[in-house]
Amino acid sequence: MFWPKLVLPRWVLSSPTVAEWKKFSVMAVAKDKFIAAYGTWMIFPVTGEPNQNLPINEVGSAMQPIKKRKSSASGSSQSSACWEHFIRLPDDLVDAPTAACKHCHKKYLCDPRTHDTTNLNHHILKCSKKPLVVSTDSTQTILTYPSVDGKLVQVSSRFDKKACRSALSVFVVLDEQPFSAVEGEGFKFYSKVMQPQFTIPSRRTTSIQNLNHLTLTAHFVDNEWKYQKRIISFTVIPNHKGETVGRKIEEVLRDWGIRNVSTITVDNATLNDVAVTYLKRKIANMNGLKGDGECFHMRCSAHILNLVVNEGLKDKHLSVTSVKDAVRFVKSSPHRAAKFNECIEFAGITCKKLVCLDVSTRRNATYLMLEVAEKFQLAFEKLEDEESSYREFFGKGNPPSNDDRDIARAFSAFLKLFYEATKTFSTSQNVSLHTCFHQVSAIYCELKQATLNLNDFFASVGGDMMEKYNRYWEVLIR
């Protein structure tokens, strides 16, 4: 920057009078409003009237006036970070300006004219009662000491939310933990201590992405003749068309080098028929079919059984609906659930199970609802006497009567066979194919007997389920 140069008159080096300052100010304005000095003298602009009491330094140069900092309404400015941990005590309680630690209440003098904040800052570093504050800055690095070859090594790491979520997923998959494991209070406390910056995702977290997924599980017998199963693919596919599914399975088999396929088990859907037909043709071209391929396409027995049960439950009896409404009342609010727990304790019920609602997409849900509700019959009766809104919840209907409970109990016993069969079909620890025939035969006999029941409800349910049963398994009975 170019600074204009002025030649100072000799009288400036001495103590000037007011008149002389005014005369010199006029000269300075004519020279770009700057006063220039030689050597180490400061350069400053001249505006307005000069101060009559403007001080002169040792060599006679004019000194710039010192600007005083405006005091705040609460006293002197407290810009140091240590004041986040200290509070200044009222003057009427102490003899001299004093500050006290907010955590341990230790006192220090803090008069700004005689004391700075050094003691306060030193105290904050060693205060034993100051709470630990973890930075939420994602760029903040953390010093860790992992063991390498038996020695501790300093490593600076940074919090990675994506890596933490991935590690949590690995924990759930490898240890075969339920998704609800992340919602336990003990797990939350452990996670908070290990990594306070990590927020545990809820098992109910859903994605707004509408993606199609395909999972392929391989079942095989190893060299020691032990039954094994492995998920060999979990991938996103563009759509659920039969040919798309078939091509994706073909790609996975090629990547794994699998040529010989005995059977493929899928749910009962038209698209799966198209996919299996495509795969059968491709594998036959590689001479990978076992035998003539007659058993290549296997339909999931558990899925068929679920279709049979849902067919019978599409028109539920009023007694089953009444029990479902009673369970829905208990689970509709925390207050009602707490009231129900009080009734359980009063009735002396020791069952640790929880009442649950049936869900149409879950197998055996209706059976589990009826089976558990029966164990809490006394609690429901007590709830009807204690909670006035319980009866109002049913509207024009009524809470379950003794007849309703008898019908629900009989229906639960009828569904128990299907529940046991589904557990047998769905096992993944051993081969279940050789036991399916016995379960399918027992179900046929049960349905046959239900169609002859004198109770119109059971006869209707048995007839609907038998029709669906014959659609898939009639050939087995023949």
Side-chain angles (χ1 to χ4, degrees):
M1 179 177 180
F2 171 75
W3 291 96
K5 183 177 180 181
L6 292 178
V7 178
L8 300 180
R10 181 181 298 273
W11 48 263
V12 176
L13 299 180
S14 59
S15 300
T17 63
V18 175
E20 291 173 338
W21 268 116
K22 290 182 179 180
K23 180 181 178 180
F24 184 73
S25 298
V26 174
M27 295 173 57
V29 170
K31 297 293 184 180
D32 295 334
K33 297 184 179 180
F34 279 92
I35 294 179
Y38 294 102
T40 58
W41 293 348
M42 299 296 296
I43 302 174
F44 57 93
V46 176
T47 56
E49 293 292 331
N51 192 342
Q52 297 183 13
N53 299 322
L54 187 67
I56 305 298
N57 62 10
E58 295 179 355
V59 295
S61 61
M63 296 179 63
Q64 185 177 4
I66 299 176
K67 294 183 179 180
K68 293 185 178 181
R69 182 168 50 187
K70 183 184 295 184
S71 59
S72 61
S74 59
S76 59
S77 175
Q78 299 177 349
S79 59
S80 177
C82 67
W83 288 108
E84 296 180 3
H85 305 277
F86 279 87
I87 183 172
R88 182 165 178 171
L89 300 179
D91 294 338
D92 56 345
L93 298 180
V94 291
D95 297 333
T98 305
C101 177
K102 296 180 180 179
H103 313 300
C104 66
H105 310 298
K106 191 171 182 179
K107 300 176 182 179
Y108 290 89
L109 296 177
C110 63
D111 190 341
R113 294 172 297 181
T114 57
H115 297 82
D116 55 15
T117 59
T118 303
N119 288 339
L120 307 184
N121 289 320
H122 285 179
H123 173 78
I124 292 302
L125 296 177
K126 62 182 181 180
C127 181
S128 59
K129 294 187 178 182
K130 187 187 74 170
L132 177 62
V133 179
V134 180
S135 174
T136 57
D137 186 3
S138 60
T139 62
Q140 177 67 45
T141 58
I142 303 173
L143 188 62
T144 58
Y145 298 87
S147 178
V148 179
D149 297 331
K151 298 180 179 179
L152 295 179
V153 180
Q154 292 184 0
V155 176
S156 180
S157 60
R158 182 169 296 164
F159 169 67
D160 190 338
K161 179 181 178 180
K162 185 177 180 180
C164 290
R165 291 178 69 99
S166 177
L168 181 60
S169 301
V170 171
F171 156 70
V172 172
V173 173
L174 287 185
D175 292 349
E176 297 183 355
Q177 295 289 334
F179 293 148
S180 58
V182 302
E183 297 181 348
E185 294 300 325
F187 184 86
K188 291 180 180 179
F189 175 75
Y190 170 77
S191 178
K192 200 67 177 178
V193 173
M194 292 296 292
Q195 179 50 267
Q197 293 178 270
F198 179 58
T199 302
I200 302 175
S202 171
R203 65 187 178 101
R204 296 179 176 85
T205 301
T206 58
S207 174
I208 61 175
Q209 297 177 340
N210 187 17
L211 302 177
N212 303 302
H213 295 86
L214 181 141
T215 304
L216 188 62
T217 305
H219 299 257
F220 58 94
V221 178
D222 61 15
N223 295 332
E224 298 181 358
W225 291 94
K226 293 182 179 180
Y227 173 76
Q228 303 284 351
K229 75 162 188 175
R230 297 291 186 274
I231 296 177
I232 60 176
S233 177
F234 180 79
T235 183
V236 177
I237 56 177
N239 54 68
H240 276 159
K241 295 182 179 180
E243 188 172 349
T244 302
V245 174
R247 290 182 181 276
K248 174 56 68 173
I249 296 177
E250 180 189 12
E251 178 184 340
V252 174
L253 295 178
R254 188 186 305 112
D255 293 341
W256 281 89
I258 300 175
R259 297 177 56 87
N260 300 323
V261 180
S262 175
T263 61
I264 289 185
T265 304
V266 291
D267 289 345
N268 296 276
T270 304
L271 66 92
N272 288 332
D273 295 340
V274 177
V276 172
T277 302
Y278 173 87
L279 287 170
K280 185 176 181 179
R281 183 176 69 253
K282 292 293 184 179
I283 295 176
N285 294 337
M286 299 185 298
N287 297 323
L289 287 179
K290 295 299 181 182
D292 57 359
E294 182 179 358
C295 298
F296 182 78
H297 184 187
M298 295 292 293
R299 301 181 185 275
C300 178
S301 299
H303 185 248
I304 294 176
L305 191 60
N306 188 52
L307 295 177
V308 172
V309 174
N310 287 340
E311 186 68 21
L313 296 178
K314 63 181 180 181
D315 296 323
K316 296 180 181 178
H317 193 272
L318 293 178
S319 299
V320 177
T321 304
S322 180
V323 174
K324 181 177 180 179
D325 289 340
V327 175
R328 184 185 288 111
F329 173 84
V330 171
K331 298 183 71 67
S332 60
S333 71
H335 169 73
R336 293 172 176 175
K339 189 66 177 180
F340 184 68
N341 290 331
E342 294 178 3
C343 295
I344 293 176
E345 295 180 1
F346 183 84
I349 300 174
T350 58
C351 179
K352 299 300 182 181
K353 293 184 178 181
L354 300 176
V355 290
C356 58
L357 281 172
D358 63 336
V359 183
S360 59
T361 57
R362 292 183 59 187
R363 301 165 182 168
N364 306 312
T366 301
Y367 165 75
L368 294 174
M369 180 191 69
L370 297 176
E371 188 260 343
V372 175
E374 179 186 355
K375 299 180 182 299
F376 294 98
Q377 177 179 342
L378 296 178
F380 280 110
E381 293 176 355
K382 181 65 176 176
L383 184 65
E384 184 177 355
D385 298 333
E386 296 289 335
E387 187 67 28
S388 59
S389 60
Y390 177 68
R391 182 175 292 274
E392 298 174 357
F393 184 80
F394 292 85
K396 296 182 179 181
N398 295 310
S401 62
N402 291 332
D403 292 339
D404 292 330
R405 296 189 182 96
D406 291 340
I407 294 177
R409 190 178 298 108
F411 194 55
S412 175
F414 171 72
L415 295 177
K416 184 176 182 180
L417 178 62
F418 297 90
Y419 172 73
E420 297 294 341
T422 303
K423 287 173 52 179
T424 302
F425 294 162
S426 303
T427 181
S428 60
Q429 302 300 322
N430 47 57
V431 180
S432 60
L433 183 62
H434 62 286
T435 63
C436 286
F437 178 77
H438 303 285
Q439 297 286 348
V440 171
S441 300
I443 291 172
Y444 175 81
C445 296
E446 185 73 16
L447 293 178
K448 193 70 174 178
Q449 185 176 357
T451 57
L452 302 176
N453 198 302
L454 297 178
N455 188 306
D456 294 339
F457 169 68
F458 285 102
S460 176
V461 170
D464 293 339
M465 296 174 70
M466 178 63 79
E467 183 178 354
K468 180 69 72 172
Y469 178 95
N470 291 334
R471 180 179 175 182
Y472 296 102
W473 287 334
E474 184 179 10
V475 65
L476 297 177
I477 304 302
R478 294 179 180 176

